[in-house]
Amino acid sequence: MNGLLPRHKRDPYWLLLPTVALLAVFFFYPLVDAVRLSLHEWDLLTEPRYVGLGNYRALIESGELWHALVTTLTFSVVVVAGSMLLGLGLALALNRDTAFAAFVRGAVFSAYVISWVSVALLWLWVLDSDAGALTAILRSVGLPTKNWLGDPNIALYSLAGVTIWKIAGYSMVLFLAGLQDIPRALYEAAALDGAGKFARFWNVTWPLLRPTTAFVATTSLIVSFQVFDVVRVMTQGGPVKSTTVFVYAIYEQVFLNLRVGRASALVVVFFGLLLVLTALQLYAWRKKGAT
Amino acid sequence: MKPLALSKGAENALLGCVALLWLLPYAWMVSTSFKTLPEIVRAPTAPLPAGLNFAAYQGVLEAMPLGRYFLNTTVMALGIAAIQILVALPAGYALAKLRYAGRGLAFGLVIATLLIPAQVRFVPVFTMLAEVSLINTMTALVLPFGVSAFGTFLIRQALLSVPDSIIEAARLDGASELRIVYGLLAPMLKPTLVAFFLFSFVYHWNDYFWPLVMTTDDQVRTLPLGIALLREQGTGVRWHVVMAGNVALSAPALLVFAFAQKHLLRAVAAKAF
């Protein structure tokens, strides 16, 4: 083990004490407590009552768990695919040192900097079915318009589109960093061999970018899995529960239904899913380190 | 040249459209914020307001204690970012520079918290804080974020490249461990600390989820919450007021971005590496 010997044996421990104390109180104890709460029925007002696995059973039997899972996964798949394609395309097009490219990069990335609430309100108004800008534009060119947030078959995809708008800049920045790590000499060699634009992308860029791609995919998967703000502000889980994603279902159980036990059971399942996703991410990360 | 490849001009035009796709919603927001109610409900909607009308901004000020929310948000975000750095510096030092039993375990615990986001913690933390009557306090907004695994990790990484000899020299001069951490090493880490501070500040300034579940009271409510409430007040479609509020909410973050783009990008890129 490298590093200096502490002057006093106890030095490292009190240096770590604030961190460890906060971790214990606000991270690890809550995790254990969530498991305990998930085995009880509790409305925050009366005494909690032990119900064993009753909450889990109820969530499965009512179909709520399955619905939250399907909704969240659908949303995540659309968001990950959309933001990655867009991010990669933009990174490829904007990987040059001109003022115009810097301007476009800044415009796209600005959405990542502002709050989710800002983005949600912005698009709520743009997508407004009466006086929204999108409706006005579509009408003026004679195209049919849709009830983007009021139609249960469309609302989830509208939210996914808004989320892509928000985070595409993030994957663009990561892809740009990945592109800059690719040695220029490889492209020159490929060009000398007579490789065209597409051959160079397929044989040089794509394979060398794969670790970045895996990393961006898993990171945006985890981010989109935790979606809440756009749902709360734009659709409140509706219409007819079509946008009730996992975290919104948890929120609804606690603050609207006052069912802490049911919510905690959802939290425990959600945490389990995040563990699986993170295992995927670590795997992608390890591969990235290996290249 | 391949037939499929776009000409430079067409490519630039396409990229210009992309930039517009991101900038037009902002323009629409600003334009709406200067309109009046009759202009909002009129169809078809005009792209520009009839004049520079500040009534919507007046409306925001009437609907909420904007100054109070602004102050709350700033105090909360500053408090979180400052505590995170103050707590992470000694921890990062112990994790990077000292040799003792349990170092690997401590580092593992810090990294493990990346697995426990706010969405997983909020139910039990809410019931815990309710038990000690801390809901609706600044403490409930700040303290649960006192440790940042990302910040601790960044500081540890930066300290790994500081030579041991500098610390040994300070020890010979009789400096205490705290003096070494805050007086000697912290100034050396300035670029890392600035990048992390900005990242954390903007992140928590923008946060909606935690303040939403931890507050019900005007006294501690934050700006994103207040602005989102503008639309829920049930006063009909007062989109000009909502958008005026949204300008107030997004402008600070965009200003920070405009002036500190390099630092923010540094922090974002660091998250990946």
Side-chain angles (χ1 to χ4, degrees):
Chain A
M1 193 147 90
N2 55 353
L4 297 159
L5 276 176
R7 273 178 293 189
H8 303 286
K9 253 197 146 96
R10 260 174 291 174
D11 278 356
Y13 302 104
W14 64 254
L15 288 166
L16 281 166
L17 184 66
T19 295
V20 172
L22 285 167
L23 289 186
V25 176
F26 291 112
F27 287 85
F28 296 113
Y29 170 72
L31 205 56
V32 176
D33 203 35
V35 176
R36 184 183 67 82
L37 288 170
S38 77
L39 304 176
H40 291 76
E41 198 173 283
W42 187 27
D43 59 4
L44 283 167
L45 306 166
T46 54
E47 277 296 299
R49 195 167 62 86
Y50 181 78
V51 292
L53 294 175
N55 286 318
Y56 294 93
R57 206 172 303 125
L59 284 170
I60 292 169
E61 279 166 8
S62 67
E64 192 182 339
L65 186 68
W66 182 246
H67 178 78
L69 195 62
V70 171
T71 312
T72 311
L73 273 177
T74 310
F75 176 85
S76 291
V77 166
V78 176
V79 167
V80 171
S83 64
M84 283 184 69
L85 274 176
L86 201 55
L88 177 61
L90 286 171
L92 288 170
L94 295 169
N95 188 21
R96 51 190 146 110
D97 227 353
T98 65
F100 180 65
F103 169 75
V104 180
R105 285 197 301 259
V108 175
F109 192 72
S110 69
Y112 187 73
V113 180
I114 62 176
S115 66
W116 284 96
V117 172
S118 281
V119 171
L121 290 174
L122 210 57
W123 282 94
L124 201 54
W125 176 218
V126 171
L127 297 176
D128 188 83
S129 54
D130 297 322
L134 187 62
T135 309
I137 290 171
L138 289 176
R139 277 204 189 120
S140 72
V141 293
L143 283 170
T145 177
K146 293 248 165 38
N147 194 350
W148 303 109
L149 297 168
D151 184 334
N153 294 318
I154 299 178
L156 189 66
Y157 298 95
S158 300
L159 294 189
V162 171
T163 305
I164 292 171
W165 187 82
K166 170 101 166 76
I167 68 170
Y170 173 72
S171 61
M172 175 190 75
V173 166
L174 294 187
F175 276 124
L176 276 167
L179 284 176
Q180 263 145 30
D181 284 346
I182 299 177
R184 210 154 266 276
L186 287 177
Y187 289 109
E188 282 155 14
L192 280 179
D193 287 346
K197 238 184 173 176
F198 284 98
R200 267 177 283 161
F201 175 78
W202 198 243
N203 296 316
V204 179
T205 315
W206 183 243
L208 285 174
L209 215 50
R210 218 163 54 199
T212 311
T213 312
F215 181 79
V216 177
T218 48
T219 312
S220 29
L221 186 61
I222 290 175
V223 167
S224 61
F225 225 74
Q226 296 171 8
V227 62
F228 174 80
D229 298 6
V230 279
V231 177
R232 172 72 172 69
V233 175
M234 297 182 77
T235 60
Q236 296 85 47
V240 277
K241 295 219 166 255
S242 62
T243 58
T244 302
V245 291
F246 233 109
V247 179
Y248 193 79
I250 299 172
Y251 169 80
E252 210 173 37
Q253 287 291 7
V254 186
F255 292 99
L256 304 177
N257 305 341
L258 295 180
R259 285 178 152 162
V260 178
R262 209 60 71 84
S264 301
L266 279 171
V267 165
V268 172
V269 176
F270 184 65
F271 176 67
L273 288 169
L274 281 182
L275 278 186
V276 173
L277 293 184
T278 310
L280 278 175
Q281 183 177 30
L282 284 181
Y283 181 73
W285 210 337
R286 270 246 309 263
K287 277 205 144 166
K288 184 184 161 126
T291 45
Chain B
M1 188 177 242
K2 289 229 168 189
L4 263 171
L6 295 167
S7 74
K8 265 267 140 346
E11 195 181 320
N12 281 339
L14 193 65
L15 286 174
C17 289
V18 167
L20 282 182
L21 182 62
W22 264 266
L23 296 177
L24 278 182
Y26 299 135
W28 178 237
M29 161 176 82
V30 175
S31 154
T32 304
S33 75
F34 288 117
K35 288 181 174 174
T36 58
L37 193 53
E39 289 179 80
I40 299 289
V41 294
R42 185 182 305 147
T45 323
L48 290 174
L52 275 190
N53 194 318
F54 287 90
Y57 289 88
Q58 192 70 39
V60 175
L61 289 174
E62 280 161 16
M64 64 167 84
L66 189 73
R68 175 89 228 172
Y69 290 173
F70 202 90
L71 187 70
N72 287 342
T73 316
T74 310
V75 168
M76 178 191 77
L78 275 179
I80 291 173
I83 292 179
Q84 284 179 342
I85 287 179
L86 287 177
V87 169
L89 273 168
Y93 169 68
L95 292 173
K97 284 290 154 204
L98 299 179
R99 199 192 314 173
Y100 53 94
R103 185 171 74 173
L105 176 71
F107 187 57
L109 284 181
V110 170
I111 295 305
T113 58
L114 289 172
L115 293 172
I116 319 176
Q119 290 88 340
V120 167
R121 299 191 282 147
F122 82 100
V123 177
V125 171
F126 176 83
T127 60
M128 176 171 81
L129 293 175
E131 237 160 87
V132 288
S133 304
L134 278 174
I135 299 302
N136 274 323
T137 61
M138 201 41 91
T139 313
L141 296 181
V142 173
L143 219 50
F145 294 100
V147 172
S148 161
F150 174 49
T152 312
F153 181 74
L154 269 188
I155 288 174
R156 171 192 177 264
Q157 293 303 98
L159 282 173
L160 283 177
S161 56
V162 172
D164 288 351
S165 56
I166 291 181
I167 296 160
E168 279 164 340
R171 282 181 174 181
L172 285 178
D173 285 347
S176 69
E177 293 296 289
L178 283 185
R179 207 188 150 78
I180 290 174
V181 169
Y182 292 114
L184 174 74
L185 298 174
M188 295 174 66
L189 300 188
K190 205 172 148 202
T192 305
L193 297 184
V194 168
F196 176 71
F197 183 88
L198 279 170
F199 178 83
S200 175
F201 182 84
V202 171
Y203 181 87
H204 290 284
W205 211 88
N206 283 338
D207 187 29
Y208 174 69
F209 182 70
W210 199 263
L212 174 75
V213 296
M214 292 300 158
T215 66
T216 50
D217 193 300
D218 262 356
Q219 286 306 306
V220 281
R221 199 170 271 158
T222 58
L223 198 59
L225 220 58
I227 301 296
L229 268 177
L230 273 179
R231 206 191 58 85
E232 293 174 29
Q233 276 164 354
T235 46
V237 254
R238 303 203 308 151
W239 279 112
H240 53 318
V241 179
V242 178
M243 287 302 119
N246 208 6
V247 170
L249 177 62
S250 51
L254 286 175
L255 277 180
V256 170
F257 174 57
F259 287 108
Q261 187 170 1
K262 221 174 60 191
H263 291 295
L264 273 177
L265 286 178
R266 215 182 114 99
V268 168
K271 247 190 142 148
F273 303 107

